[in-house]
Amino acid sequence: MMKKAAIVGERQAVLVEAPIPELKQDEVLIKVHVAPMCSEYKKFINGTVGNCLGHEAAGEIAAVGGAGSHQVGDRVVLMPLSGCGHCALCEAGDYIHCLDNKMSDCTMSQYIVKPSFIVKKIPDDISYEKASLACCALGPTFGAMQIMGVNVFDTVLVTGLGPVGIGAVVNARYRGARVIAVESNEYRSQLARELGAVDVIDPRDPEALAKIRSLCNETGPDYAIDCSGAVPAHRLCIDAVRRKGKIAFVGESHVETPVTISKDLIRKGIHLFGAWHYNLNDFPKIMQVIRHSPLVEKMVTHQFPMSRIQEAFETSAQQNSVKILLKPWE
């Protein structure tokens, strides 16, 4: 048996016992050392009962199902979600878009089983804690910047400074790009300034669009990345980015954003992308960011033993944090 986190009611989290997952062919069993918290606090606030929480982790391989490149004892990062491992998308490294992608992970637990092809070895000089940032903390916006080609000559607008948005600031600064951010949370706004954002604008400011343009010679930023999923932020990205600019939507939303094809896309000539994760072939590159960026350490604001899961969720729900790391064996 093992321990895992569970939400049992509105703002109530506990640890429960569960069987250790069974291992199948081409899978690995991982002893989880670090499980970052992401958007699970929404379930905590709403009282969405369940014991399958978390989709990010770093840990140690405890068993392997069949022959392969992984061995017991390997230190690894567990990519979020899953895939079939055999389709063209999976073979190209874009497993996240696999039609057979399984949408549930349970990384807030002591053990988890994963397909071996989406488990990546951690370099010896990188800790479990830092390596775990290669999932949602840095991964989605790293993938977005790879697609768009962000570099040192560019200005990037980042809307929404939750953990993913703060990761966007870190990724952009590592590439030498200039960053303008949009956020109303003062804690995260101040952190973005410390990370090198040239300005952080409150989205409630009626002059927000004008202020963004004033920082870009009135033409607008070269790129925009939304990490909030908010419709007003989507529109701000579309309206603010320069002509022929590029936009990546990372924050998820189930509300329709109004887009006028002629005015917004054709005549302005912008490129609009959806970015969920990064191509697995780029894993060595994201490890370079983690290894060399002096800003990465600022992303981990709290660490909790999983035995203090209630306190961890309460901290996450307050939104005065960036990445909170759980330690399942403490």
Side-chain angles (χ1 to χ4, degrees), residues 236-249:
L236 185 61
C237 289
I238 293 169
D239 294 335
V241 76
R242 66 168 174 81
R243 288 177 177 262
K244 299 291 289 183
K246 297 178 181 179
I247 300 168
F249 288 161

Side-chain angles (χ1 to χ4, degrees), residues 84-95 97-99 117 279 281:
C84 71
H86 307 294
C87 69
L89 287 166
C90 286
E91 290 183 349
D94 290 319
Y95 83 95
H97 298 294
C98 174
L99 292 174
F117 83 98
N279 186 289
N281 293 315

Side-chain angles (χ1 to χ4, degrees), residues 135-205:
C135 296
C136 294
L138 292 169
T141 59
F142 178 87
M145 292 183 195
Q146 285 289 91
I147 292 170
M148 295 192 296
V150 175
N151 63 47
V152 70
F153 300 105
D154 301 320
T155 295
V156 181
L157 174 68
V158 178
T159 54
L161 293 178
V164 174
I166 290 294
V169 177
V170 172
N171 276 316
R173 293 301 300 135
Y174 181 76
R175 293 165 182 256
R178 184 169 173 263
V179 177
I180 301 168
V182 176
E183 176 58 55
S184 59
N185 179 302
E186 183 53 38
Y187 171 86
R188 288 170 170 170
S189 297
Q190 181 56 38
L191 178 57
R193 293 185 182 96
E194 293 174 9
L195 294 175
V198 296
D199 201 2
V200 181
I201 296 165
D202 192 322
R204 298 166 295 189
D205 186 342

Side-chain angles (χ1 to χ4, degrees), residues 75-132:
R75 302 165 63 250
V76 293
V77 174
L78 290 62
M79 294 296 127
L81 309 183
S82 186
C84 71
H86 307 294
C87 69
L89 287 166
C90 286
E91 290 183 349
D94 290 319
Y95 83 95
I96 201 75
H97 298 294
C98 174
L99 292 174
D100 193 34
N101 194 327
K102 296 177 177 61
M103 298 297 290
S104 62
D105 276 334
C106 307
T107 57
M108 293 184 188
S109 59
Q110 292 180 323
Y111 288 100
I112 185 172
V113 164
K114 277 285 197 178
S116 59
F117 83 98
I118 57 170
V119 172
K120 294 295 182 180
K121 292 182 182 179
I122 302 171
D124 292 341
D125 61 332
I126 296 178
S127 67
Y128 284 121
E129 290 79 7
K130 283 189 174 182
S132 72

Side-chain angles (χ1 to χ4, degrees), residues 129-130 132-133 187 295-303 322-325:
E129 290 79 7
K130 283 189 174 182
S132 72
L133 301 178
Y187 171 86
L295 307 180
V296 166
E297 289 186 2
K298 291 182 177 291
M299 296 192 68
V300 178
T301 55
H302 300 78
Q303 299 189 49
V322 183
K323 216 57 183 170
I324 299 173
L325 306 184

